[in-house]
Every structure is written in C-alpha cells, then in structure tokens.
Amino acid sequence: MNVFIKTYGCQMNERDSEAIAGMLASRGYGIVDREETADILIFNTCSVREQAERKAVGKIGFIKKLKKQRPELIIGIMGCMAQHLGEKLFDDLPHVDFVIGTGQLHKLPEVLDSIIAERRQLALLTGGEEVLTSLGTHYRMTGTGEFQAYIAVTRGCNRFCSYCIVPYVRGREVSRDIADVVAEAENLAAAGVREIMLLGQNVAAFGLGGDTDPPPEGVSPFADLLAELNRIQGLCRIRFISPYPSYFNDKLIRTLGALDKVCHNVHLPLQSGSDRILKKMNRQYTAEKYLEIVAKLRQVMPDITFSTDIIVGFPGETAEDFNATRDLMRKVGYDNAFIFKYSPRSGTPAAEMEGQIPQAVREERNQLLLKELTDYTLAHNKTYLGSVQEVLIEGPSRRNPGRWSGKTGTFKVVVFKPAPETASGDLVNVKIIRSTAATLFGELV
Ligand code: 5AD
Ligand code: SF4
C-alpha cells in the first residue's frame, strides 16, 4: 500500500514525518509524493497558531470528495492538532479514520493494521513515553537534502510561556540519552550526512531532567553533547533550534565558540523587547539580559548572525512596548526574524488576558517589523561584498536552475554559477559580488 504524508508546522513535525515514513517503509509500505497515488493519507498537523489549524482542517475537509469516490482510502490525522482537538475531529471530519497524538506516533503501524483488518474510527491520544527511543529511523522525503539531517534531541516543553500551546500538546520535556543521539549522528555521518540540525522545543535544556530552572554556571549537558558530536568524522556542520535564551550560561557560550563544527548562527527567540510584556508572557529574562547573551556570543564568534521569533500584538502591548521590540531588534541586528501576529490559543493563560489587540493593529505592527528587518538585511548583506565565504552546496537554485545555491555557516543563502564538478554536499569558497536583502550572489574561487 502507498502512503502520502503531508506535513504542517515546524521542523520537529518534519522530523516526525520522516520517522513515520521510515517506520512504514521498513514494513513494506510505499511512500509517495502525490495524493492521487496513495491508499493512505496522513496529515501531520500543527496547532501553534489558529491559522495553522484552519489550514489543515480546510485541506482535510476537501479530501471528503476523494473519499466518496474511493471509500477504501484511509485518512489519518497526527501531530499537535490531533492531540489538541482529539476525537472532536471525528465530529467535524467524519471521513477521517484515525487520530494519533504526539506521544503515540510510533504506534502508527499497529493502528494501520487494525484499521485495515476492521474498518472503524480509532483515536490514540494518551500514554507512550517510549516514543523517544523509537524515533531513530530516517527516511528522506522533502526539505533537507541527502547530506543534511534533523535529529530530535528533546521533545516537549516545560516552560509554559503564557501564549503557547506547545506544552499542552507536546507534553513535558524529555531528553534522549546522549549515547543515543551520538549513535544516530554517527550513523548519519557514515551514510554521507555532513550537516546536522539538532531539534527541540527548548533544545538547550537537553539532559537537564526537565528542571524548570536554567542550569547553574558550569552545567550544560547540551554543551557536552555538542562537544561529542563535534568529534564525529565526516560531519562538517552542527546547527540547533530553538534554545531558550536563559539557558546560555558561560559554559555553553564558551563551548559554542570553541567547537569548529558549530555554525556561527544562533536562533534566539526574543518574542518581545519590552520587559513588561516579557513578564506577562512568562519569559524569564529581561531585554537587558537578552542583550548580554548576544554580546557574549558575539565575543566568542565575531561573525555570528542571529535570527529570532517575535510576537506582535500580545494582549496589552502598547505602542511603547512595541517600540521597545523595534529598539531591541535594531540593537541586535537580526539576519532573519519570524514575526508572528499573536493568536489566542484556548487553554493558555494569555487567551484570557485583558487588552486583546485588534487584528488591524497586529497586522500593522507585523508589517512595520518586516519592513525594518528587510531594511537591515539589505544594508547588512552589502557588508559581505568582496568577501570569500565557505558555502555548503545544497543544489540547483529554485529560481534559476542555471545557478546553484548553498549556505554559509552563518546561514546566509549564496547563489553562484556552478562548475562542471559542482555537487550537493560539497564545501566550496565563493566570492560575494552582489547582494539583496535575502541573498548573496557570488563566483566560485
Ligand atoms: N501566537 C503567535 N505566535 C505564537 N508562537 C507560539 N505561540 C504563539 C501564539 N499563540 C510563536 C513563538 C514561538 C514560535 C514557534 O511561534 O514566537 O517562538
Ligand atoms: Fe512554547 Fe515557550 Fe516552550 Fe517555546 S519555550 S515551545 S514558546 S512554551
């Protein structure tokens, strides 16, 4: 039987889809990239903003027609929205056959066996701590090339930021064993992977046993993990997302600066530059503390670039609070930022807060930050002109197949004219001759 998997949301979901595909492929299922050729359709969903849920529900609703024509089609919903809405999904989408929560995804093969044997709706939403250890399989589908791979190192989140649904739908934070992660990375490297991206809702909390306080100075199992991974032959780049700012103690910062394979680009979610809003968000740092971490990281990696997540229009956000965010963004100078309009999620404390901000204001603030970000990157990318950058080649450029593209260690996209021997996964030097807000253009040297 053939399976089509559609993934919404973050890299963790993409990784989960890879693991699902790997599990099914090893049991003889075919993995296909078109719905029309599939016997089983799986939607791996996201709940972080309302828009993400609306998109998935719309798409799955649309499939109803297909199921009328082909009643034997099996349709399943997995991931965060499955966990969030559970069996209620069967009410709105009665043509769906199964709903599997985030902690049970490793049970998918059994669920499919049972549905194939006797057709009835099935929901599996609780239990299943063993999900962590059963996720080593990799199956390459989309997104990352053959030489890049995601490795999930922690799952879940204990931080409970007041706007965020993740702790409710992904559960408490758990870390894998360091030996497990290292073995997975070694296997990937032996298979030709050159760049790994470590994933976790709060990846820097790796190995802390779910403690909600950031570690004291001198303690950072995450730094220890990076040091182990840095030793693996064949790997040339290590990235990670997303670390909560307070977990950057001096030990972690020093380690990041000292390891040659760790990329000089850190995604450091800010959310807001106003201390008053950060407090209401239950984010446990101040703007000053955040800037201190940025400065320390710059000290050990002078060419470091930063990206971030920002929420505009959080309940009670005044013009002054918003200006504090603009101010902080200017001070850091982000090379990329994911700017989100606040979306109330039922069950989270922020959804009940007074002072919800009108949609039009959220939109306006969103647009302004996007514009200021582009102004910054346009100017900053000019500073690369004339420099030579080390680029890990990804493949032909999407916009112009006559050109190839790759990324610098600082996560800049570089487009260049390939040589006959140019191949994905190679490290090359490129001299930068032109730049836009999003891209650097150059020549092989
Ligand atoms: N509304 C808008 N953005 C949100 N995020 C998380 N929850 C919400 C919400 N309710 C954003 C945060 C987080 C990113 C993954 O999604 O910025 O870092
Ligand atoms: Fe959500 Fe905060 Fe956890 Fe990130 S750290 S997943 S924003 S609760």
Side-chain angles (χ1 to χ4, degrees):
M1 287 178 112
N2 285 338
V3 185
F4 170 82
I5 304 172
K6 165 92 185 148
T7 310
Y8 296 89
C10 65
Q11 286 92 340
M12 189 63 92
N13 262 15
E14 283 184 39
R15 174 70 194 100
D16 283 351
S17 290
E18 271 181 357
I20 292 168
M23 275 188 292
L24 295 179
S26 71
R27 283 172 175 79
Y29 289 91
I31 309 296
V32 297
D33 55 11
R34 285 180 41 230
E35 287 164 27
E36 303 82 60
T37 54
D39 310 291
I40 301 169
L41 304 179
I42 297 176
F43 296 88
N44 191 10
T45 57
C46 170
S47 279
V48 78
R49 283 167 292 276
E50 199 191 343
Q51 180 65 13
E53 287 194 347
R54 229 186 283 139
K55 225 160 98 184
V57 166
K59 170 76 188 167
I60 301 164
F62 191 70
I63 298 287
K64 195 171 182 175
K65 272 204 313 227
L66 206 63
K67 179 110 173 189
K68 276 227 173 80
Q69 293 160 8
R70 294 170 49 201
E72 73 289 356
L73 195 65
I74 296 175
I75 300 172
I77 307 180
M78 299 182 69
C80 294
M81 186 180 79
Q83 189 68 50
H84 182 215
L85 302 177
E87 293 178 32
K88 274 189 286 195
L89 285 165
F90 290 139
D91 300 337
D92 295 338
L93 304 162
H95 56 295
V96 166
D97 296 278
F98 67 88
V99 174
I100 299 182
T102 50
Q104 290 72 47
L105 68 98
H106 56 299
K107 304 258 178 68
L108 172 66
E110 293 157 47
V111 168
L112 283 176
D113 286 348
S114 146
I115 288 178
I116 292 163
E118 50 171 317
R119 294 297 297 245
R120 66 189 167 92
Q121 285 181 319
L122 241 166
L124 201 59
L125 298 157
T126 52
E129 258 61 62
E130 69 274 30
V131 66
L132 261 193
T133 47
S134 59
L135 286 182
T137 46
H138 279 257
Y139 182 90
R140 295 321 177 62
M141 293 198 301
T142 49
T144 57
E146 291 298 315
F147 57 91
Q148 295 168 308
Y150 292 136
I151 301 182
V153 302
T154 73
R155 296 177 76 82
C157 185
N158 286 353
R159 300 250 36 115
F160 287 94
C161 301
S162 65
Y163 49 81
C164 188
I165 200 170
V166 166
Y168 306 91
V169 293
R170 285 232 172 225
R172 291 297 65 71
E173 172 196 294
V174 274
S175 296
R176 293 173 60 192
D177 285 338
I178 188 161
D180 235 27
V181 177
V182 172
E184 186 175 333
E186 280 170 346
N187 288 339
L188 289 166
V193 166
R194 316 215 61 198
E195 175 178 295
I196 53 173
M197 170 85 97
L198 308 179
L199 303 179
Q201 264 79 36
N202 178 6
V203 71
F206 173 81
L208 291 171
D211 199 342
T212 46
D213 288 326
E217 196 41 77
V219 178
S220 176
F222 183 60
D224 301 335
L225 172 68
L226 292 172
E228 290 283 316
L229 296 172
N230 198 72
R231 280 202 273 273
I232 297 176
Q233 260 198 346
L235 280 187
C236 58
R237 285 183 175 179
I238 304 171
R239 302 182 181 281
F240 55 91
I241 44 168
S242 286
Y244 189 95
S246 325
Y247 289 69
F248 283 84
N249 58 19
D250 289 346
K251 171 171 174 174
L252 178 56
I253 292 171
R254 240 184 299 118
T255 307
L256 292 173
L259 298 175
D260 61 322
K261 294 179 183 175
V262 169
C263 288
H264 290 188
N265 167 261
V266 170
H267 184 73
L268 198 58
L270 170 66
Q271 314 300 358
S272 168
S274 151
D275 288 344
R276 205 178 68 81
I277 295 295
L278 285 170
K279 206 161 186 181
K280 288 179 69 173
M281 287 176 161
N282 193 28
R283 298 287 289 183
Q284 295 185 348
Y285 52 86
T286 58
E288 190 189 342
K289 173 78 192 159
Y290 184 97
L291 286 171
E292 191 186 305
I293 296 163
V294 166
K296 283 184 176 176
L297 285 165
R298 282 216 160 103
Q299 227 165 32
V300 296
M301 297 178 273
D303 63 340
I304 192 173
T305 56
F306 291 97
S307 59
T308 196
D309 291 343
I310 307 264
I311 297 176
V312 293
F314 184 83
E317 185 187 70
T318 62
E320 198 183 327
D321 294 318
F322 175 63
N323 284 333
T325 301
R326 292 172 67 194
D327 189 44
L328 206 138
M329 284 184 78
R330 262 193 302 269
K331 281 188 179 140
V332 176
Y334 293 104
D335 279 73
N336 199 8
F338 299 90
I339 300 163
F340 304 108
K341 288 170 269 182
Y342 170 69
S343 166
R345 308 311 290 131
S346 65
T348 62
E352 310 299 323
M353 286 180 189
E354 285 179 12
Q356 300 284 328
I357 306 292
Q359 182 64 24
V361 176
R362 282 183 249 170
E363 184 61 44
E364 189 187 317
R365 291 179 181 173
N366 187 41
Q367 291 304 327
L368 185 61
L369 289 192
L370 283 174
K371 184 186 172 302
E372 291 183 348
L373 176 71
T374 310
D375 290 347
Y376 174 80
T377 53
L378 190 64
H380 182 231
N381 282 353
K382 288 203 175 111
T383 66
Y384 287 86
L385 294 179
S387 71
V388 173
Q389 300 288 323
E390 189 180 60
V391 174
L392 183 64
I393 302 179
E394 295 185 348
S397 152
R398 252 174 287 157
R399 292 234 181 113
N400 178 354
R403 294 283 179 274
W404 279 48
S405 83
K407 287 200 190 76
T408 65
T410 52
F411 221 51
K412 297 277 171 211
V413 177
V414 177
V415 172
F416 59 94
K417 192 167 165 220
E421 69 278 11
T422 296
S424 301
D426 281 355
L427 273 177
V428 291
N429 284 323
V430 179
K431 182 170 182 189
I432 307 304
I433 52 174
R434 190 163 75 82
S435 68
T436 62
T439 313
L440 304 176
F441 298 85
E443 290 164 347
L444 287 168
V445 292

